[in-house]
Amino acid sequence: PFSVGRARRKRVRDAMTGRIGEYPATYFHYTWLNNNRVNLTTHYRNVFTLRLPAALPRLTMGVTIDATTGERVLFESADFNERFSVYSTNPAFAHAVFTPRTIERLTELGRTSGAVIMTKFEIVGDSLVAVTTLGNRPHHISEVFAAMALIADGIPRFIWTDFGVSASPGERSVS
């Protein structure tokens, strides 16, 4: 979900797997050292993934400085636009993924969850990935996975047929 050019001693800690609804899920705490030739600093991220039924075009929501994701997509909900930034190279796809019901539920969750507001959510191939500096406490883990379930469950059926691509032949079928 991210790359760090000078990263050293990359470690995965506190990993767990399971299911969130119908989706296989993974969580892990990722740490690395960064040597910028002046000092050595420790960094960490909490990484969450949900395996989707098919690969979809790239889309991000939340905290991001990644300029390769596309343009910012605005929605009719000013409250949602204030809390979340959505980026995609295909605005029609972003509007199809974030239905009014999904927007309403995410906005409500964003009002009560600091972990969700501070998380970058991204569709990458057949995975919905969330990366945050928060999220290592049980209630944060639950909040981030709840947001991911809202996003994944809110994707309309036609998205899987119109935009979905099988992750690898014979591995999964699109439902």
Side-chain angles (χ1 to χ4, degrees):
F2 46 86
S3 62
V4 181
R6 295 185 185 143
R8 303 289 180 266
R9 294 192 198 162
K10 300 173 192 175
R11 302 280 189 268
V12 171
R13 303 168 192 265
D14 303 327
M16 64 181 159
T17 62
R19 295 188 78 74
I20 301 297
E22 63 183 73
Y23 308 100
T26 304
Y27 160 83
F28 59 90
H29 185 77
Y30 181 69
T31 63
W32 71 94
L33 296 177
N34 190 21
N35 183 359
N36 65 5
R37 299 184 186 166
V38 174
N39 61 5
L40 193 64
T41 55
T42 302
H43 299 272
Y44 68 91
R45 298 292 184 273
N46 295 295
V47 181
F48 304 75
T49 66
L50 288 186
R51 181 67 53 118
L52 301 174
L56 295 173
R58 189 166 177 232
L59 174 141
T60 66
M61 179 189 87
V63 182
T64 186
I65 56 172
D66 185 356
T68 65
T69 309
E71 298 296 317
R72 179 153 189 214
V73 180
L74 296 176
F75 295 84
E76 289 187 20
S77 170
D79 198 12
F80 179 79
N81 290 331
E82 287 175 17
R83 294 179 194 285
F84 302 102
S85 298
V86 175
Y87 291 86
S88 176
T89 56
N90 184 343
F93 171 70
H95 280 281
V97 168
F98 292 105
T99 64
R101 183 179 174 135
T102 301
I103 288 172
E104 180 183 327
R105 288 178 168 180
L106 285 170
T107 303
E108 185 60 36
L109 186 59
R111 285 187 185 109
T112 59
S113 172
V116 171
I117 294 298
M118 297 300 297
T119 301
K120 175 186 176 185
F121 299 90
E122 184 169 4
I123 294 176
V124 182
D126 68 342
S127 295
L128 175 59
V129 180
V131 179
T132 183
T133 55
L134 297 175
N136 58 344
R137 303 223 186 274
H139 67 280
H140 290 151
I141 293 169
S142 296
E143 290 170 356
V144 172
F145 273 132
M148 294 176 79
L150 285 175
I151 295 167
D153 289 341
I155 296 174
R157 267 190 179 289
F158 77 90
I159 292 292
W160 303 114
T161 56
D162 291 358
F163 294 96
V165 177
S166 183
S168 62
E171 186 176 314
R172 272 185 225 75
S173 62
V174 177
S175 47

